[in-house]
């Protein structure tokens, strides 16, 4: 099981179906960026004229985490939650930032909130479910982790974009059983 500090955000964000939404959007869903630095510049430009855009702040928070700037990412994610209190992505970003700084208990709460708010929009949030399972393992809550990994596999069954994470989840399930 990976420790919070070892969480490979580039790999996780890169392999999910929400990769563009999570790490590249800045309200321009078709923009393509060559690097996290380019993403940060785009987010900064957008936020200069839209400082109250909670989703853009969540996106920049994730970008800052990709750049290894956990303190700055956490600051943006906390502000995103204040500005967009019903946005699953804001809670997901805050969960990532908290996990990166080693606070699995608070990270887990944010992933759970992301899952709840996504459900309010009648969608699932497999990325948050997967990371919640990892946090549960790190917290020693094996039984809850089994349930979370099983839920993740159920959400992503047959989705090719989740194949690698699903394989990792199955490995974790075998280890936990």
């Amino acid at each position: 099981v990976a420790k919070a500090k070892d969480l490979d955000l580039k790999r996780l964000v890169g392999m999910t179906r929400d990769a563009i939404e999570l790490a590249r959007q800045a309200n321009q869903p078709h923009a393509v960026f060559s690097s996290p630095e380019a993403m940060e510049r785009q987010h900064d430009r957008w936020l200069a004229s839209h400082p109250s855009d909670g989703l853009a702040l969540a996106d920049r928070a994730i970008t800052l985490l990709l750049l290894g700037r956990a303190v700055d990412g956490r600051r943006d994610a906390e502000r995103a939650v204040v500005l967009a209190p019903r946005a699953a992505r804001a809670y997901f970003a805050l969960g990532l930032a908290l996990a990166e700084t080693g606070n699995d208990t608070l990270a887990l709460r944010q992933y759970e909130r992301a899952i709840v708010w996504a459900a309010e929009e009648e969608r699932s949030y497999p990325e948050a479910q997967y990371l919640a399972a990892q946090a549960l393992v790190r917290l020693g809550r094996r039984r809850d982790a089994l349930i979370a990994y099983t839920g993740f596999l159920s959400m992503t069954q047959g989705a090719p974009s989740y194949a690698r994470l699903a394989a990792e989840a199955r490995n974790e399930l075998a280890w936990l059983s």
Side-chain angles (χ1 to χ4, degrees):
V1 175
K3 296 189 188 254
K5 66 180 181 166
D6 298 327
L7 180 63
D8 184 353
L9 292 175
K10 290 179 185 175
R11 183 173 55 87
L12 177 67
V13 173
M15 71 174 71
T16 65
R17 70 176 161 79
D18 289 336
I20 292 173
E21 181 180 319
L22 291 174
R24 296 178 158 188
Q25 189 180 49
N27 286 343
Q28 295 183 11
H30 303 295
V32 177
F33 301 100
S34 59
S35 68
E37 293 82 4
M39 287 190 289
E40 181 187 16
R41 286 190 298 273
Q42 180 63 29
H43 295 311
D44 289 347
R45 280 192 294 273
W46 178 262
L47 287 164
S49 58
H50 302 85
S52 296
D53 186 336
L55 294 179
L57 274 166
D59 291 339
R60 185 171 71 180
I62 293 169
T63 300
L64 292 169
L65 294 171
L66 291 167
L67 291 167
R69 294 171 45 200
V71 172
D72 294 333
R74 181 175 176 172
R75 183 199 65 234
D76 274 6
E78 288 171 342
R79 191 159 164 245
V81 166
V82 169
L83 292 171
R86 296 177 59 96
R89 190 164 71 233
Y91 292 100
F92 180 75
L94 184 53
L96 289 172
L98 291 164
E100 274 296 291
T101 57
N103 195 332
D104 287 318
T105 301
L106 290 178
L108 176 61
R109 284 190 204 141
Q110 302 314 312
Y111 298 141
E112 290 169 343
R113 288 177 179 152
I115 292 164
V116 166
W117 286 115
E120 288 287 319
E121 298 171 1
E122 298 183 10
R123 64 183 187 92
S124 64
Y125 211 143
E127 299 82 0
Q129 184 78 20
Y130 180 85
L131 292 175
Q134 285 190 329
L136 287 163
V137 170
R138 289 190 299 272
L139 292 168
R141 294 174 52 188
R142 294 172 66 108
R143 182 169 172 235
D144 293 332
L146 280 166
I147 294 167
Y149 277 125
T150 302
F152 168 78
L153 290 171
S154 150
M155 287 178 197
T156 60
Q157 188 172 11
S161 60
Y162 289 100
R164 195 174 311 166
L165 280 180
E168 290 178 21
R170 283 189 291 278
N171 287 339
E172 290 295 323
L173 280 172
W175 178 78
L176 291 167
S177 298

